[in-house]
Amino acid sequence: MTMTTGAILRRITETDLSVAAHKLATIILDGIAWKDGYNGLVRGTAAFTLAHLAEKMGISRQHLTVLLTELAGSALALVRWKPNDKFAPWLFRFGETEGGTPSPDIVSATGSTSLSMEKLSSLEGSKSMLRPTSTTPLGQS
C-alpha cells in the first residue's frame, strides 16, 4: 500500500519519538511530494543538506544526527542516502512500517491530500506541529 502524506503525518504523531524528532519528521515530510515527486526526485523523496535541516530546527548538526538515528529506528522507517558526491544533499524517504502494510484505518484514501477536522481532532496533543498549507481556514472549502 502506498503511503500518503496524511498517513505519514498520523504515523508521526502516533509514534513514540522525542518532541525534536517529531519536529524533524514534520520538516522532512513538508519537503516530500507524494503525488508528483520533488525537484525531479522519485515520488515520496525529499532532498536536504544536514546544514539546512539543522538551521530550520535551530540545533547543532551533532544533535540532528542523533534525531535522524532516532527516526531511522522508529516505525516510520526513515531512510536516508547520498547517491552523489559529498556536497550533494541527503535524500530522505519514509518507508513502510516494520510489520508490513499499515492498517486501513490510518491510511488516507487514494485521492486524499489533507487531513479532515475529525482526523485532526483525533490527534491529541499534536496540533502545535500541524500547520495549514493554505490560507483557507480548516473546515472551509
Side-chain angles (χ1 to χ4, degrees), residues 30 37 46-47 54-55 66 71 74 84 99 102 123 127 141:
D30 188 47
E55 179 184 329
V66 170
L71 281 178
S74 73
N84 299 319
L123 300 174
K127 292 180 182 176
S141 298

Side-chain angles (χ1 to χ4, degrees), residues 32-63:
I32 291 177
W34 284 89
K35 291 194 177 271
D36 304 320
Y38 177 76
N39 275 352
L41 298 174
V42 178
R43 186 176 126 178
T45 307
F48 294 99
T49 63
L50 293 185
H52 182 208
L53 286 175
E55 179 184 329
K56 282 194 95 156
M57 293 187 69
I59 59 173
S60 69
R61 289 176 61 182
Q62 290 80 11
H63 188 211

Side-chain angles (χ1 to χ4, degrees), residues 120-132:
L120 284 173
S121 63
S122 70
L123 300 174
E124 295 177 359
S126 64
K127 292 180 182 176
S128 62
M129 291 177 18
L130 304 174
R131 58 187 162 84

Side-chain angles (χ1 to χ4, degrees), residues 69-134:
T69 303
E70 182 182 349
L71 281 178
S74 73
L76 296 171
L78 177 74
V79 178
R80 70 176 177 148
W81 71 101
K82 194 176 228 183
N84 299 319
D85 63 26
K86 66 180 184 175
F87 298 109
W90 283 94
L91 301 180
F92 295 90
R93 184 180 188 121
F94 289 106
E96 295 292 330
T97 58
E98 295 168 4
T101 313
S103 59
D105 62 331
I106 62 167
V107 177
S108 299
T110 306
S112 177
T113 58
S114 64
L115 295 172
S116 68
M117 287 302 290
E118 295 84 29
K119 292 176 187 175
L120 284 173
S121 63
S122 70
L123 300 174
E124 295 177 359
S126 64
K127 292 180 182 176
S128 62
M129 291 177 18
L130 304 174
R131 58 187 162 84
T133 55
S134 69

Side-chain angles (χ1 to χ4, degrees), residues 3 6 8 12-14 16-18 29 31 39 45 48 51 65 68 71 75 84 86 94 111 121 125 127:
M3 295 290 287
I8 293 176
I12 290 169
T13 59
E14 294 168 356
D16 185 23
L17 297 170
S18 67
L29 184 63
N39 275 352
T45 307
F48 294 99
T65 302
L68 288 169
L71 281 178
N84 299 319
K86 66 180 184 175
F94 289 106
S121 63
K127 292 180 182 176

